[in-house]
Amino acid sequence: MMPRPVITILAVNTGSSSIKFSLYESGEKEELLFSGSLTRIGLKDGRFSVTDPQGRYIDCERVDAPDHAAACRHVFSWIKRHGPGMPDAVGHRVVHGGPRHTAPEKVTPELLASIAELVPYAPEHLPQALNAIRYAANELPGVFQVACFDTAFHSTMPSLAKLCPIPEEFRKQGVQRYGFHGLSYQYILSQLQAESDPLARKGRVILAHLGHGASMAAVLDGRSVETTMGFSPAGGLVMSTRTGDLDPGVVLFLLQEGHLDADALRDMVNKKSGLLGVSGLSADMRDLLEAEADNPQARLAVELFCYSARKHIGALVAALGGLDMIVFTGGIGLHSPEIRERICEGLSFLGLRLDHERNRNHSGVISQETGKIVVKVIETNEEVTIVREARRVLEGG
């Protein structure tokens, strides 16, 4: 069998206030050439950095990027000047695919128009992704581009799990539960398969992506059947600055009493709530863990995060009809043994037994051998998923 030809693929991951990018050589496996980011877009102390595969800085500087357009110009002009030539393809993370886009697709004018129609579904993310796609087309003319949708992974959920209990006239407008972090979950499943873990293809698994944004997915026999986020990435678990699930009555009260208008409400739900809103101190779990001994509000925020996670795990276990494995990933899930332990210590009734030493040492498997449930920690890599999907579309798969 002939080896796969080596091609270069640029993965672009846009956020509401950042752009992350990675250039890979894709052959029999993916080899990172460099990765970088431009963060704090819209603030005076924006930072642009690029590192090599060993984490050594290739470039690092303060950048004035007053908006996302300026950030795109800086990122793509740098790639054009310093990259090893024109990439063979560019893959973009697109947060929301709506009801129509359930697999990665080649970027065309028709697709861009379709994504633009979805902006009201994810106004914090989709305009930035569209900007990045357009700037890539300008700076890297003629390069094949692929949109990789974060919602696509959850398209396998049963129709009942997608259903929002509202009148049909609104459901026909695309109001349903979608789920997010799909590129991360797809990577974790691929890693389990690479480890020949039989539960990746035949088992009841909860994948927990715990970071600035946090969600969980219930995966049955390798397919998503339920998830904590719904119509938007603001639902589900308590997060760093997002509310998670919120009683609609609270929203109505704040609107009706004139406390907030629609724009201010969106800002509150996405940027001022969660760990930050409860603690009044920080959105960063590391800060809260450091402060909780002397700060009751910091301790309350940490406890609420772990309680929310345990509660949602219970719901996902019910959807799965049992549980064989939990996998932690994301910044908090990967780096905080204390949070992993606090979440798991309330789940012993399921037969979950954590090995405290393995957990402290960040072992790949952190559960006891005698436990009924396997608990793993795996580092995610959404960019590798983007590279794989972009190549598959490029090759007509």
Side-chain angles (χ1 to χ4, degrees):
M1 186 174 179
M2 293 289 291
R4 298 176 81 196
V6 175
I7 62 175
T8 57
I9 298 177
L10 177 68
V12 179
N13 188 339
T14 55
S16 57
S17 62
S18 67
I19 302 175
K20 298 178 183 178
F21 57 94
S22 301
L23 186 68
Y24 281 85
E25 283 188 342
S26 170
E28 294 302 313
K29 58 182 180 178
E30 296 78 31
E31 296 286 350
L32 179 65
L33 299 180
F34 62 72
S35 62
S37 65
L38 199 162
T39 59
R40 298 179 65 81
I41 297 170
L43 302 175
K44 292 182 179 178
D45 55 347
R47 185 170 183 265
F48 177 77
S49 63
V50 186
T51 57
D52 67 12
Q54 287 73 45
R56 296 175 299 218
Y57 281 109
I58 299 171
D59 201 342
C60 185
E61 60 181 324
R62 297 289 180 185
V63 173
D64 182 18
D67 53 33
H68 208 268
C72 282
R73 281 196 298 271
H74 188 92
V75 166
F76 286 107
S77 62
W78 190 95
I79 293 170
K80 192 173 182 179
R81 291 195 313 270
H82 299 281
M86 204 76 83
D88 295 289
V90 180
H92 297 266
R93 173 178 175 248
V94 179
V95 165
H96 215 305
R100 294 191 297 273
H101 306 293
T102 58
E105 296 180 40
K106 176 185 176 181
V107 171
T108 63
E110 293 76 19
L111 179 62
L112 290 178
S114 180
I115 295 172
E117 292 176 359
L118 296 173
V119 166
Y121 287 39
E124 302 287 322
H125 296 89
L126 287 184
Q128 294 85 341
L130 287 168
N131 272 339
I133 293 171
R134 291 174 181 135
Y135 273 94
N138 288 334
E139 295 292 332
L140 308 170
V143 171
F144 191 91
Q145 295 198 78
V146 176
C148 301
F149 299 99
D150 230 0
T151 49
F153 179 81
H154 302 290
S155 64
T156 57
M157 290 197 310
S159 57
L160 191 62
K162 297 177 183 179
L163 185 64
C164 286
I166 59 175
E168 186 179 10
E169 62 182 295
F170 304 117
R171 298 200 306 270
K172 285 182 176 179
Q173 302 304 312
V175 179
Q176 65 176 60
R177 299 185 66 251
Y178 289 97
F180 299 88
H181 287 135
L183 299 174
S184 172
Y185 293 138
Q186 189 172 338
Y187 179 82
I188 297 300
L189 270 185
S190 73
Q191 289 300 101
L192 292 173
Q193 291 166 0
E195 296 169 4
S196 299
D197 192 316
L199 294 177
R201 300 187 186 277
K202 193 73 175 175
R204 301 164 297 184
V205 180
I206 292 176
L207 306 178
H209 182 113
L210 307 180
H212 180 79
S215 75
M216 296 180 183
V219 176
L220 180 63
D221 299 341
R223 295 163 65 88
S224 175
V225 296
E226 183 55 277
T227 187
T228 55
M229 287 178 173
F231 177 74
S232 80
L237 305 173
V238 172
M239 296 175 240
S240 292
T241 63
R242 301 177 205 160
T243 58
D245 286 343
L246 188 65
D247 183 343
V250 174
V251 175
L252 294 173
F253 169 79
L254 294 173
L255 287 172
Q256 289 170 347
E257 295 301 309
H259 296 296
L260 297 171
D261 61 16
D263 288 338
L265 184 62
R266 183 171 64 241
D267 193 53
M268 186 274 287
V269 165
N270 287 291
K271 298 180 179 179
K272 296 180 178 178
S273 298
L275 297 178
L276 177 62
V278 173
S279 71
L281 174 67
S282 174
D284 194 311
M285 182 62 80
R286 293 167 295 187
D287 296 338
L288 299 179
L289 287 171
E290 188 175 330
E292 68 171 336
D294 302 311
N295 187 319
Q297 293 305 112
R299 182 168 63 254
L300 185 63
V302 175
E303 289 175 351
L304 181 62
F305 181 88
C306 296
Y307 172 74
S308 173
R310 285 195 302 273
K311 184 171 68 171
H312 280 88
I313 286 172
L316 295 180
V317 171
L320 286 167
L323 184 63
D324 301 308
M325 177 189 288
I326 297 176
V327 182
F328 287 102
T329 192
I332 298 171
L334 184 68
H335 297 297
S336 182
E338 187 164 355
I339 295 300
R340 294 194 299 259
E341 183 164 343
R342 288 196 195 187
I343 291 172
C344 291
E345 68 186 4
L347 300 173
S348 57
F349 71 95
L350 292 173
L352 191 154
R353 303 284 184 271
L354 209 63
D355 186 303
H356 302 296
E357 186 152 347
R358 286 179 177 179
N359 184 44
R360 284 195 301 271
N361 293 331
H362 300 283
S363 300
V365 177
I366 60 172
S367 49
Q368 297 178 15
E369 301 290 344
T370 56
K372 295 180 180 178
I373 298 169
V374 179
V375 185
K376 290 189 173 185
V377 180
I378 300 176
E379 183 173 7
T380 193
N381 194 326
E382 293 167 314
E383 284 74 24
V384 165
T385 302
I386 293 170
V387 168
R388 291 171 179 169
E389 293 300 292
R391 176 157 193 157
R392 186 171 65 82
V393 176
L394 176 64
E395 294 177 341

